[in-house]
Amino acid sequence: RSGLAARVTQSPESVAVTTRTKTVTLPSIAADAVRQLHSGKDCAVGDLTGLDDQDAIVVVRRLLREGLVVARS
């Protein structure tokens, strides 16, 4: 999301996106996709690195719900 200051950290089990007010933790399988989204470049859900379509949808829905990404039409 433009203007959002977030830090991405990874452990063997998970990847975390941390802002001033919250931390969202996802399974480590989502790490490459989270870093791709963190780059700020537009991408399609199905193009997220390292995830099949179903996993990509779950990750993006969670990040949308948490207000960390925005949808583009």
Side-chain angles (χ1 to χ4, degrees):
R1 187 176 100 193
S2 178
L4 179 69
R7 184 181 69 219
V8 176
T9 55
Q10 186 174 357
S11 74
E13 300 84 27
S14 64
V15 59
V17 182
T18 304
T19 68
R20 279 184 345 138
T21 59
K22 69 173 84 177
T23 298
V24 176
T25 305
L26 299 163
S28 62
I29 192 170
D32 289 340
V34 168
R35 291 188 191 288
Q36 183 179 355
L37 292 166
H38 187 248
S39 76
K41 296 178 183 173
D42 286 351
C43 63
V45 173
D47 293 337
L48 289 176
T49 304
L51 299 176
D52 62 27
D53 288 345
Q54 287 184 328
D55 287 339
I57 290 168
V58 169
V59 168
V60 170
R61 280 184 179 161
R62 172 79 187 281
L63 296 175
L64 280 165
R65 188 172 49 248
E66 297 288 348
L68 299 176
V69 297
V70 293
R72 305 242 181 189
S73 52

